[in-house]
Amino acid sequence: MLSLYSPAKVNLFLKITGKRDDGYHALATLMQTVSLTDILHLSLAKEDSLKCSDAALPTDASNLVLKAADLFRRKTGFKFGLKAELEKNIPSEAGLGGGSSNAATTLWGLNELFDRPTSTVELAQWAAEIGSDISFFLSQGTAFCTGRGEIVQEMPIPVPQKLWLVKTHERLSTPTVYKNVVIADLPERDAGYYYYNDLELAAFQLIPSLADLKEHLLQLGFHTVVMTGSGSAFFCIGDANPEVLSLPFCTPVSFLNRSSDHWYSL
Ligand code: C5P
């Protein structure tokens, strides 16, 4: 059995550059994996099965872990079943990429279990068929992503940075937030690397209390508070009043990167 960490990500910046003919949004985003992780136990079996510590998540073929197994089967022609057990720590519908990370971890793990029949680069190309963010997790953990998110350019590993991940009980589904984006309403931005997220406006219109939470977090002392992905979690930088610890979900994390030959480790 192979046991692997499956990390969360944050979007250090996320710019929407347009709406595409296929209905997706064109993005330019800098993504970074962080030290909040699920744990995925994988072994080969007669048929597919998935157990998950979070009873609210589906464990049928709609789960990205089993979709990834099916993708690997189709692409390689191998006949196998996957027995997967998922210990969930990354909140869902939070913009932290938990499901996409689980899928990427499954692809990487299956490639190991079969003694590396393919490259990580090819796994990343396959991954784009089942989701926009999955290819990113097959990078080394810091990447500039364009297209609908699936065109991944590795970036140098940044200096270590401590962040806080914060969220309330609010959840946001990715398609709902993207549907609420009005391209004409997006702010003009200077070129350059700084922390921002063009999806905040659409998310705050859907759940106005998220704007209040951002303001509250700034008042508590963080100098940077930015929503990650399609929300509802925020990443925060700086030192804050300990009152922040009373929020439903609040955890310190650091950047996490992997070496080219190994999966993410803590
Ligand atoms: O590709 P993924 O399954 O992660 O995307 C979920 C949904 O989010 C898509 O069906 C689409 O509605 C929206 N989306 C988008 N533009 C992107 C990525 C996702 O509109 N770049």
Side-chain angles (χ1 to χ4, degrees):
M1 186 175 68
L2 195 56
S3 295
L4 297 169
Y5 289 112
S6 179
K9 60 84 178 157
V10 291
N11 298 76
L12 295 175
F13 66 76
L14 188 157
K15 183 166 179 58
I16 297 175
T17 54
K19 179 104 194 260
R20 302 165 22 138
D21 292 343
D22 62 6
Y24 280 84
H25 292 77
L27 306 179
T29 179
L30 183 63
M31 297 217 255
Q32 173 65 54
T33 38
V34 295
S35 58
L36 171 67
T37 66
D38 294 337
I39 299 173
L40 193 52
H41 307 280
L42 302 172
S43 52
L44 297 175
K46 279 217 171 93
E47 51 191 44
D48 285 351
S49 66
L50 173 62
K51 270 195 205 159
C52 180
S53 62
D54 181 348
L57 293 180
T59 51
D60 61 6
S62 70
N63 190 295
L64 277 164
V65 168
L66 296 185
K67 281 192 180 174
D70 199 49
L71 178 74
F72 193 84
R73 242 187 323 259
R74 279 193 282 117
K75 295 291 183 182
T76 59
F78 297 166
K79 292 193 178 8
F80 64 90
L82 175 69
K83 182 179 175 214
E85 287 186 29
L86 179 56
E87 294 176 38
K88 210 67 201 156
N89 299 308
I90 305 172
S92 320
E93 300 203 319
L96 293 164
S100 300
S101 174
N102 297 162
T105 305
T106 303
L107 290 172
W108 199 88
L110 282 169
N111 202 41
E112 291 301 294
L113 289 170
F114 283 100
D115 282 335
R116 300 196 181 188
T118 190
S119 65
T120 313
V121 171
E122 193 169 39
L123 288 177
Q125 284 164 1
W126 296 350
E129 290 185 23
I130 55 169
S132 306
D133 279 356
I134 304 171
S135 310
F136 159 71
F137 288 96
L138 291 151
S139 74
Q140 288 180 243
T142 309
F144 179 61
C145 303
T146 52
R148 55 186 168 85
E150 88 289 12
I151 302 173
V152 177
Q153 186 185 339
E154 297 266 11
M155 298 299 285
I157 291 172
V159 284
Q161 169 88 67
K162 274 214 154 176
L163 306 173
W164 287 82
L165 298 181
V166 174
K167 75 181 283 292
T168 58
H169 294 299
E170 306 289 1
R171 299 153 72 97
L172 274 167
S173 101
T174 302
T176 309
V177 175
Y178 274 105
K179 260 191 219 119
N180 205 37
V181 170
V182 179
I183 300 287
D185 288 352
L186 294 173
E188 294 269 328
R189 297 197 191 268
D190 297 334
Y193 283 8
Y194 57 101
Y195 306 111
Y196 63 87
N197 185 344
D198 273 352
L199 289 172
E200 277 189 353
L201 189 63
F204 293 0
Q205 280 168 348
L206 290 166
I207 304 183
S209 64
L210 289 178
D212 301 336
L213 174 62
K214 175 167 173 154
E215 194 47 46
H216 179 58
L217 291 166
L218 287 165
Q219 274 167 13
L220 287 179
F222 291 120
H223 59 73
T224 300
V225 177
V226 177
M227 194 179 82
T228 176
S230 53
S232 58
F234 289 87
F235 69 86
C236 310
I237 309 175
D239 293 316
N241 184 309
E243 202 189 307
V244 70
L245 295 168
S246 63
L247 287 163
F249 181 87
C250 174
T251 185
V253 293
S254 46
F255 288 175
L256 184 71
N257 290 89
R258 68 180 189 90
S259 61
S260 59
D261 221 27
H262 295 92
W263 198 239
Y264 300 90
S265 61
L266 292 176

